[in-house]
């Protein structure tokens, strides 16, 4: 990771901030507001944890498929089951869970599997 935050992560934060700003301004883009933020949640969550573990705490850790699947389950239970029971502001939606899963699987194959594939070819 070379001691710097990924441009993709920063772009994700910028998009997230833009969507929140648009919502607060009364502009609602259905697919973007409803599912895009959920789609990038697991990749951003996983990348942030990986960055903190490796660059801040000094470990050499890579997320595996089990970690990503557990993250999908955790975030799905928290934001789609528990939070809607505690507040009317949250709504439980199965498509949000699917977005978490798709984001996690895409992240796994593009970031983890693809990086490992290219490392093996360089040897």
């Amino acid at each position: 990771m070379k001691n710097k935050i990924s441009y993709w992560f920063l772009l994700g934060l910028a998009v997230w901030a833009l969507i929140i700003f648009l919502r607060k301004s009364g502009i609602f883009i259905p697919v973007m507001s409803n599912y895009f933020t959920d789609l990038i949640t697991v990749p951003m969550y996983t990348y942030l944890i990986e960055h903190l573990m490796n660059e801040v705490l000094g470990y050499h850790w890579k997320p595996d498929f089990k970690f990503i699947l557990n993250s999908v389950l955790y975030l799905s239970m928290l934001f789609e089951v528990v939070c809607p029971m505690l507040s009317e502001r949250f709504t439980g939606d199965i498509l949000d869970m699917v977005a978490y899963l798709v984001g996690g699987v895409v992240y796994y194959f593009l970031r983890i599997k693809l990086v490992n594939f290219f490392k093996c070819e360089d040897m």
Side-chain angles (χ1 to χ4, degrees), residues 9-24:
F9 181 79
L10 295 175
L11 179 63
L13 284 178
V15 169
W16 225 337
L18 175 66
I19 291 171
I20 290 169
F21 172 76
L22 291 173
R23 284 180 189 165
K24 291 195 183 283

Side-chain angles (χ1 to χ4, degrees), residues 82-96:
V82 175
C83 287
M85 288 191 294
L86 300 176
S87 172
E88 291 178 7
R89 185 170 182 223
F90 292 92
T91 57
D93 183 3
I94 191 76
L95 291 177
D96 288 346

